[in-house]
């Protein structure tokens, strides 16, 4: 963007800015009684629903890099990562509240781009943007998104319900987002070394898209519902398969066995991992930001699981005394917290554990 026709935020004032960002927003969901424009939004949920609430805080330089994250994608992703948390509870997002802190380097046009992405995400997932707060920051951009959603009473799925012999399932494929990030970081370094360098992004569309514009697996939640299959536990994969399966095991007080060969990895992810000299399974285990669903089902539900597209069975739950193990392609059994994955550890998000 050139500096010519851009609007300085100080020229607008807080109310002018809020108006510019929110003037076209209309609410659609029955549970939204009143959205933007008063001191609080008003919601109404029927008794047979459980209300889900979740928040994600994104800080420039920590969770995203403005040099290669297009603003519209940033807005989309900030919303979708919260929608993914709703899916992980076997629910659906319904309302969203946005907190924005922006430094003076941002213009109205930049914020409108972020909002265009958030509105697009809301449209795609049937969510109402019902409020927010806007303020200035001394450094960079902070986006805090709170999502409110619903699940049927009795059908909320926690991390804690896995039992020995349950099958461990994962949707989609893993590791692609991390490979996309590595490509973007490589191109950024090339650009810093030589500003005339042309970015080599062509041909890497899938992994770039997985990083820049992830989707929440609301379709899997819907398919599970249609198949009348209630997972025993579920989590979304934001910090990598290893971290998430350990969360399930810790909360469920179980062990697990995962087979490296069963971990779903897309061909482009596989090839790019080789190019970066990373074992592809490590990208899936430790990469993160896939926003796929990891869940467990009873063995008796195996036929139902097979009837749903895009789900892989990657292992099974064991007794806690058996520990958390991965069986490698050369038949070794390794502790999932084993050393040797440390090379990837320092990239982990601050709020990961
Ligand atoms: P208050 O001072 O009572 O917090 P504000 O003037 O901050 O109210 O907000 C007025 C209305 O605009 C409220 O409905 C609020 O939720 C909404 N709002 C403020 N900032 C944003 C934002 N960044 N995105 C969406 N809605 C916002
Ligand atoms: Mg306010």
């Amino acid at each position: 963007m050139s500096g010519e026709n851009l609007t300085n935020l100080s020229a607008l004032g807080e109310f002018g800015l809020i108006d510019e960002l929110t003037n076209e927003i209309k609410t659609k969901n029955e549970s939204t009684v009143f959205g933007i424009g008063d001191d609080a939004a008003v919601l109404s949920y029927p008794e047979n629903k459980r209300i889900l609430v979740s928040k994600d805080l994104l800080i420039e330089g920590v969770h995203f890099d403005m040099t290669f994250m297009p603003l519209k994608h940033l807005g989309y992703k900030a919303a979708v990562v919260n929608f993914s948390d709703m899916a992980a509870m076997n629910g659906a997002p319904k309302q969203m509240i946005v907190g924005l802190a922006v430094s003076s380097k941002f213009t109205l046009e930049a914020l409108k781009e972020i909002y265009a992405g958030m509105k697009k995400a809301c449209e795609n997932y049937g969510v109402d943007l019902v409020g927010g707060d806007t303020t200035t920051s001394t450094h960079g951009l902070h986006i805090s998104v709170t999502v409110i959603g619903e699940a049927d009473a009795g059908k909320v799925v926690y991390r804690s319900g896995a039992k020995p012999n349950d099958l461990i399932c994962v949707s989609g494929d893993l590791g692609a987002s991390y490979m996309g990030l590595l490509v973007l970081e490589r191109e950024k370094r090339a650009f810093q070394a030589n500003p005339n360098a042309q970015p080599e992004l062509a041909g890497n569309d899938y992994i770039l898209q997985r990083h820049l514009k992830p989707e929440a697996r609301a379709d899997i939640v819907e398919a599970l519902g249609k198949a009348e299959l209630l997972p025993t536990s579920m989590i979304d994969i934001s910090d990598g398969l290893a971290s998430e399966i350990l969360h399930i095991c810790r909360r469920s007080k179980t062990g697990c066995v995962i087979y490296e060969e069963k971990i779903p990895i897309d061909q482009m992810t596989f090839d790019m991992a080789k190019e970066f000299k990373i074992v592809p399974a490590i990208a899936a285990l430790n990469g993160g930001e896939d926003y796929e669903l990891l869940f467990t089902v009873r063995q008796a539900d195996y036929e139902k699981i097979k009837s749903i597209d895009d789900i892989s069975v990657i292992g099974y739950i064991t007794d806690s005394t058996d520990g958390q193990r991965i069986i490698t392609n050369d038949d070794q059994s390794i502790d999932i917290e084993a050393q040797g994955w440390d090379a990837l550890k320092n990239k982990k998000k601050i709020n990961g554990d």
Side-chain angles (χ1 to χ4, degrees), residues 14 18 132-134:
E14 185 188 336
I18 294 172
D133 198 23
T134 316

Side-chain angles (χ1 to χ4, degrees), residues 27-79:
T27 62
K28 297 190 187 110
N29 289 324
E30 221 174 292
S31 50
T32 311
V33 177
F34 189 85
I36 292 168
D38 215 304
D39 296 304
V42 181
L43 311 181
S44 173
Y45 278 90
E47 252 178 51
N48 60 350
K49 298 288 183 187
R50 289 292 169 266
I51 304 172
L52 312 173
V53 185
S54 170
K55 171 196 282 297
D56 245 30
L57 183 56
L58 297 174
I59 308 288
E60 181 182 348
V62 179
H63 303 103
F64 60 91
D65 187 331
M66 296 284 297
T67 51
F68 54 66
M69 191 72 181
L71 291 167
K72 195 170 171 183
H73 287 153
L74 178 61
Y76 194 87
K77 187 169 177 175

Side-chain angles (χ1 to χ4, degrees), residues 13 54 65 78 80 115 120 131 133 148 204 212 250 262 320 346:
S54 170
D65 187 331
V80 160
Y115 265 69
K120 182 78 190 149
D133 198 23
I148 299 148
N204 295 322
L212 295 173
R250 196 175 307 130
K262 306 256 190 215
S320 62
N346 56 7

Side-chain angles (χ1 to χ4, degrees), residues 63 77 177 210-211 214 237-240 287-291 349:
H63 303 103
K77 187 169 177 175
S177 174
R210 291 283 283 169
H211 184 74
I237 302 186
S238 52
D239 291 334
E289 296 209 283
D290 296 304
Y291 301 105
K349 286 201 305 186

Side-chain angles (χ1 to χ4, degrees), residues 14-15 18 21-22 25 34-41 97-100 115 118 129-134:
E14 185 188 336
F15 301 122
I18 294 172
L21 295 178
T22 62
I25 291 173
F34 189 85
I36 292 168
D38 215 304
D39 296 304
I97 298 177
V98 180
L100 269 187
Y115 265 69
M118 288 196 298
L129 211 172
V130 298
D133 198 23
T134 316

